Amino acid sequence: MKRLFRGLLLVGALAGAVVMVKSYLQRTDSPGEEAVRIVFDDGSTRSLASNTVEGQEFTDIAHKVLEIGV
Amino acid sequence: MSEGRISGTESNAGGAPDGALERALGDLRALSEDIESCSVLSPTGDLQYSSHGPGVERARVAAMLGALVGLAGRSARKEGKDLASQVRVRTEAGHLLMVGLEGGGTLVATTAPEARVGLVLYDMRNARAEIKKATGEVG
């Protein structure tokens, strides 16, 4: 019984560690998905990721517009 | 989804022939069935056409679209460019697409998330001449 409890404790600790490492890596390394693409009059483009302030400004308004339509 | 026919509200700004803008946008929606709703914003930020019925506050829609046009303009200035000619915004709810019109207006459309956005933008760009004609803009 003691052995089983110790095993379960070990598995739980390992699972917790995996979740923590995964969330840490996602938080620090994720570049953010491209949410906005702007094409300028000279043909050049600029992409904004969803996790940038500028990208978020576009997506926040766009989301509201999409809710009600244009 | 798109019904292929616009039942929207048009304000006859810019001396456009009656219903010409509605017809031009109806043709666009018939061609590009992924478009769920569309509107035309004048160079001064007035909503010249909205595919919405009268239930939706035109002023609210115009303000939100004006804000997006303003953000695009700010991005252009930041990059040292004159204008943003096309903007695509992807959200969980779908895509919002904006194409600049000759003379400074903006054509806006919304689509579902799974829409073929490239094709919709192509059709929107091709519709610009007809919309320009319909709005009676000189340019």
Side-chain angles (χ1 to χ4, degrees):
Chain A
M1 192 66 186
K2 221 175 182 181
R3 239 182 178 178
L4 180 69
F5 181 72
R6 225 182 278 167
L8 281 173
L9 201 68
L10 190 67
V11 168
L14 275 172
V18 166
V19 169
M20 276 177 69
V21 168
K22 196 178 161 191
S23 65
Y24 175 78
L25 288 175
Q26 278 176 344
R27 186 172 58 89
T28 54
D29 288 347
S30 172
E33 279 184 76
E34 178 196 296
V36 183
R37 177 164 284 194
I38 306 168
V39 181
F40 299 108
D41 53 345
D42 63 355
S44 61
T45 61
R46 183 175 182 213
S47 297
L48 303 171
S50 56
N51 63 354
T52 61
V53 175
E54 215 176 339
Q56 196 69 53
E57 282 178 324
F58 273 97
T59 52
D60 282 350
I61 301 172
H63 202 272
K64 283 178 196 155
V65 172
L66 280 154
E67 270 177 15
I68 60 170
V70 292
Chain B
M1 282 299 285
S2 169
E3 297 151 15
R5 177 85 191 121
I6 292 177
S7 56
T9 48
E10 179 178 339
S11 72
N12 197 16
D18 279 342
L21 188 53
E22 182 165 346
R23 272 195 300 277
L25 291 168
D27 289 346
L28 170 64
R29 289 185 78 182
L31 188 68
S32 202
E33 293 189 343
D34 282 335
I35 292 176
E36 291 188 335
S37 67
C38 60
S39 68
V40 174
L41 213 59
S42 78
T44 53
D46 295 323
L47 199 60
Q48 281 186 297
Y49 179 87
S50 168
S51 61
H52 250 296
V56 172
E57 282 179 66
R58 289 175 71 87
R60 192 173 167 220
V61 173
M64 287 193 287
L65 296 181
L68 283 170
V69 170
L71 285 176
R74 193 183 70 186
S75 288
R77 285 190 297 278
K78 234 180 183 177
E79 297 286 310
K81 316 286 181 189
D82 291 331
L83 290 168
S85 59
Q86 185 179 296
V87 179
R88 188 200 72 196
V89 186
R90 187 174 51 77
T91 76
E92 293 154 11
H95 295 92
L96 185 134
L97 311 168
M98 301 198 299
V99 169
L101 299 171
E102 264 187 75
T106 310
L107 169 63
V108 186
T110 63
T111 73
E114 69 276 6
R116 293 156 300 174
V117 176
L119 277 177
V120 176
L121 283 167
Y122 177 78
D123 290 335
M124 286 171 75
R125 285 196 300 270
N126 284 342
R128 285 182 296 188
E130 206 57 44
I131 291 167
K132 184 190 162 196
K133 221 187 287 174
T135 52
E137 279 172 19
V138 181

